[in-house]
Amino acid sequence: MKIIDFRSDTITKPTEEMRKAMYLAEVGDDVYEEDPTVKKLEEIGANLVGKEDALFVPSGTMGNQLALLAHTERGQEIILEEKSHIFMFEVGGLAFISGLQSKTIKGHKGIMCASDIERAIRVNNIHFPQTGLICLENTHNMAGGVITPIELMRKVYEIGLNYKIPIHLDGARVFNAAVGLGVDVKEITKYSDSVMFCLSKGLCAPVGSLLAGDKKFIEKARKYRKMLGGGMRQAGIIAAAGIVALENMIDRLEEDHYNNRLLAEKLININGIQIDMDTVQTNILMIDIVNKNYNADTVISLLKENGIYVSKISDYKIRFVTHMYISKEDILYTAKIMKDILE
């Protein structure tokens, strides 16, 4: 039976071009900053997002946590959306690693209001923690791949400048946002002081993310990377795949977006499914099961029997993520099976 895996775009495997590049990669010791392939990847990544420098890290979570460490001091507070990845899915690292307190804001479909962010900034008071960082997420995972509008990012960046508070962008899927908006990614990332973006999701690289910012910030993050065990040696073997990802895999994200919308348009016509079509913007689809005879667990189990893997978000919510290894034919087959199950 063929497996159609919608659980995440992290399940993508490296392309043949990536595998060849990894085999042929020139390597050195990256802790000594002597791996030429890593250095090339970091240069390409920094230039793509319009930053002075970049740092290759094993994962997006590490990249985000390094940004928190490099931007803040222990005992400070950071502002972030209540369902953001940094708050929900990084094992409490902001508190455990950086000693930070969270000030969460309820967003509308994952998007915080600029005025709410400004109101959340702490005034100078001996009883309060100091606001040390504002974090944004683009696209927003738990909102269903929603794109944070550029105008909102501009407003938040200006707030940061006014209060002298840095802005970090969790841009795990920022290239999906750029493709979705039809803009150069720099039009998004210019409104942040630092940005983390993943190579191992829709871009298909097997390992790694990049953290980008100014040189002083990256120098600090590099030292913290070593402290957290992220200093890799002949990392050019995996960095080579990241170069292919950035050079050849960004534009094709549009195909994932097309397939995601096609899936949404097919599923919304099935009795027992509700979809907020306003959130269908990139490659993530959230559906609500409203047939009283089913919940997420039962639907997921029945889909799995038919070779379709999806993720449970809550008792009645399921997530689909499209990627390079999901075809139009897979979308049509999945819609048929969902219809058979629920109707």
Side-chain angles (χ1 to χ4, degrees):
M1 179 190 297
K2 178 183 179 181
I3 300 300
I4 304 172
D5 199 337
F6 289 98
R7 288 174 300 169
S8 178
D9 42 11
T10 60
I11 62 93
T12 52
K13 296 178 180 179
T15 64
E16 287 302 312
E17 184 181 5
M18 289 178 183
R19 292 175 187 271
K20 182 177 179 181
M22 293 166 72
Y23 177 75
L24 296 174
E26 184 180 357
V27 299
D29 191 319
D30 184 47
V31 173
Y32 290 121
E33 299 184 49
E34 294 177 354
D35 189 302
T37 306
V38 172
K39 291 171 77 70
K40 181 180 178 181
L41 171 64
E42 291 171 341
E43 182 180 356
I44 291 170
N47 289 337
L48 269 176
V49 297
K51 303 301 180 188
E52 285 185 344
D53 205 354
L55 181 69
F56 186 41
V57 295
S59 70
T61 293
M62 180 178 282
N64 281 334
Q65 294 303 316
L66 291 176
L68 303 191
L69 276 166
H71 277 307
T72 66
E73 298 176 4
R74 298 183 71 81
Q76 288 186 330
E77 185 171 77
I78 63 170
I79 297 171
L80 66 179
E81 205 274 331
E82 66 175 3
K83 292 185 178 179
S84 64
H85 193 280
I86 291 174
F87 181 68
M88 289 189 68
F89 300 116
E90 298 189 5
V91 206
L94 62 89
F96 191 88
I97 298 171
S98 297
L100 298 171
Q101 179 169 297
S102 306
K103 176 65 176 178
T104 58
I105 293 175
K106 182 177 178 60
H108 175 65
K109 299 177 183 178
I111 310 302
M112 296 182 286
C113 177
S115 59
D116 288 343
I117 292 173
E118 187 165 16
R119 280 193 294 269
I121 295 171
R122 296 286 192 171
V123 298
N124 188 17
N125 185 303
I126 195 172
H127 300 90
F128 297 160
Q130 179 186 17
T131 302
L133 184 65
I134 299 168
C135 297
L136 299 175
E137 184 175 332
N138 200 4
T139 64
H140 195 294
N141 184 355
M142 283 296 102
V146 168
I147 299 169
T148 300
I150 292 176
E151 179 61 17
L152 183 278
M153 293 199 63
R154 183 189 66 79
K155 289 179 180 178
V156 175
Y157 187 65
E158 290 177 352
I159 290 170
L161 290 174
N162 188 40
Y163 288 88
K164 295 181 173 57
I165 299 170
I167 311 298
H168 172 63
L169 175 61
D170 176 355
R173 296 181 176 91
V174 72
F175 292 107
N176 289 93
V179 169
L181 293 173
V183 301
D184 189 303
V185 71
K186 285 191 284 288
E187 293 303 306
I188 298 171
T189 56
K190 69 182 180 181
Y191 296 122
S192 64
D193 296 284
S194 62
V195 55
M196 181 284 297
F197 55 92
C198 292
L199 306 170
S200 57
K201 291 187 168 71
L203 300 185
C204 292
V207 182
S209 295
L210 285 169
L211 176 64
D214 65 35
K215 288 187 179 298
K216 186 176 180 180
F217 168 80
I218 293 299
E219 182 181 350
K220 197 172 181 181
R222 187 180 298 276
K223 186 167 185 176
Y224 285 131
R225 183 187 69 171
K226 179 67 174 135
M227 181 182 73
L228 296 184
M232 299 176 285
R233 300 299 178 175
Q234 287 70 43
I237 289 175
I238 51 177
I243 292 172
V244 175
L246 293 180
E247 290 184 337
N248 299 335
M249 302 299 287
I250 293 172
D251 290 343
R252 66 145 306 280
L253 294 173
E254 187 172 2
E255 180 181 345
D256 300 340
H257 297 181
Y258 169 83
N259 283 336
N260 190 50
R261 175 156 287 274
L262 177 63
L263 179 63
E265 290 171 349
K266 294 294 183 181
L267 295 185
I268 199 171
N269 293 316
I270 297 174
N271 291 330
I273 291 177
Q274 285 185 353
I275 299 172
D276 182 349
M277 293 298 289
D278 287 342
T279 68
V280 185
Q281 299 177 14
T282 55
N283 70 321
I284 300 175
L285 175 64
M286 299 288 192
I287 74 167
D288 291 302
I289 306 299
V290 294
N291 183 324
K292 65 181 181 180
N293 296 316
Y294 295 90
N295 59 26
D297 288 325
T298 55
V299 172
I300 288 171
S301 179
L302 291 167
L303 285 172
K304 193 170 185 179
E305 289 178 8
N306 289 275
I308 301 167
Y309 291 14
V310 297
S311 296
K312 177 181 176 180
I313 300 301
S314 65
D315 288 344
Y316 294 93
K317 189 180 290 290
I318 293 172
R319 186 185 76 164
F320 294 77
V321 184
T322 54
H323 50 77
M324 182 177 178
Y325 299 100
I326 299 289
S327 67
K328 181 178 179 180
E329 290 70 28
D330 295 333
I331 297 294
L332 298 177
Y333 173 75
T334 299
K336 176 185 179 300
I337 295 300
M338 285 290 285
K339 186 176 179 68
D340 291 344
I341 289 170
L342 292 172
E343 294 185 354

